[in-house]
Amino acid sequence: MNLQSYNDQDLVKLYVTGNENGLQELLRRHKSKIYTSIYLLVKDQYLAEDIFQDAFIKVINTLRSGRYNEEGKFLPWVMRIAHNLVIDYFRKEKRTPIITSSDGMDVFNMLHFYDESAEEKMLRDQTHKDLKAMIHLLPDEQKEVLLMRHYADLSFKEIADLTDVSINTALGRMRYALSNLRKMLKTKEMTYKG
């Protein structure tokens, strides 16, 4: 049986009906793209392999339980699972994404140019916490682009390829993310003043 002529949807059906070759062909077909997308985000070979394996364990469990219904969209579905696992990893590690201003300065570093008092340090630490909390409130696709751009330092072309959208969509999501963060910051400032 030549599985290379099967489309992804047929391979999923084959696997679900008990033929392991369906999953093996899907893995052969998509492994490098999925692994590379994870590696570009975590920049660590062993960690990328672990996350890749975790992603496929989730895929297998979902397929076996009969909960898969992404008709004809196998690769974007697996990529979404992998990216969510990467974001979960960063959350667990409490790694702060680097947010840069338009002139390339790290926003967090701009907050302390001079010797600061204990009060100023507390305020800066609170601002870091507030910004991290606000980032987590963003819609998933905006948060994903923001983290990929500023934490993983990917280009918009790489982000577009990894998330399977056009460069304009990736740029738009970034614009919305920054706009939403600005609105949240303004609201927070109003709360402090009010």
Side-chain angles (χ1 to χ4, degrees), residues 7-158:
N7 67 27
D8 288 356
Q9 206 171 332
D10 292 336
L11 290 169
V12 167
K13 284 179 188 156
L14 198 62
Y15 176 70
V16 170
T17 57
N19 188 332
E20 294 286 327
N21 294 332
L23 185 67
Q24 285 178 348
E25 175 59 22
L26 286 165
L27 260 169
R28 186 201 63 74
R29 196 176 281 182
H30 300 300
K31 181 179 181 184
S32 70
K33 186 169 187 180
I34 297 163
Y35 173 81
T36 302
S37 78
I38 297 167
Y39 179 78
L40 284 169
L41 291 170
V42 299
K43 295 185 168 77
D44 176 307
Q45 178 187 346
Y46 300 109
L47 179 58
E49 287 168 9
D50 284 351
I51 292 173
F52 178 84
Q53 284 179 350
D54 290 347
F56 263 87
I57 288 168
K58 273 194 162 186
V59 166
I60 289 166
N61 290 338
T62 304
L63 293 177
R64 283 189 178 153
S65 69
R67 287 176 298 152
Y68 175 76
N69 60 358
E70 305 277 331
E71 294 295 307
K73 294 186 175 150
F74 179 78
L75 181 60
W77 173 65
V78 178
M79 294 289 260
R80 212 168 36 249
I81 290 171
H83 288 146
N84 288 341
L85 287 170
V86 168
I87 289 170
D88 289 348
Y89 166 77
F90 286 137
R91 262 193 213 129
K92 259 190 249 143
E93 292 297 305
K94 297 201 173 30
R95 306 273 276 281
T96 305
I98 297 167
I99 310 288
T100 53
S101 62
S102 54
D103 59 358
M105 295 278 295
D106 178 346
V107 170
F108 291 131
N109 290 339
M110 287 167 49
L111 296 173
H112 52 98
F113 283 133
Y114 49 89
D115 289 338
E116 56 193 352
S117 67
E119 186 181 324
E120 288 165 332
K121 183 183 182 319
M122 278 173 49
L123 190 63
R124 179 173 53 85
D125 289 347
Q126 186 58 49
T127 306
H128 280 229
K129 272 192 212 134
D130 290 349
L131 189 54
K132 265 200 262 190
M134 287 175 197
I135 289 169
H136 290 299
L137 293 174
L138 292 171
D140 285 346
E141 62 268 354
Q142 291 175 23
K143 183 176 8 182
E144 183 179 50
V145 171
L146 187 82
L147 290 171
M148 286 181 178
R149 179 78 186 115
H150 290 293
Y151 182 78
D153 203 26
L154 297 182
S155 71
F156 282 105
K157 166 125 183 52
E158 289 168 318

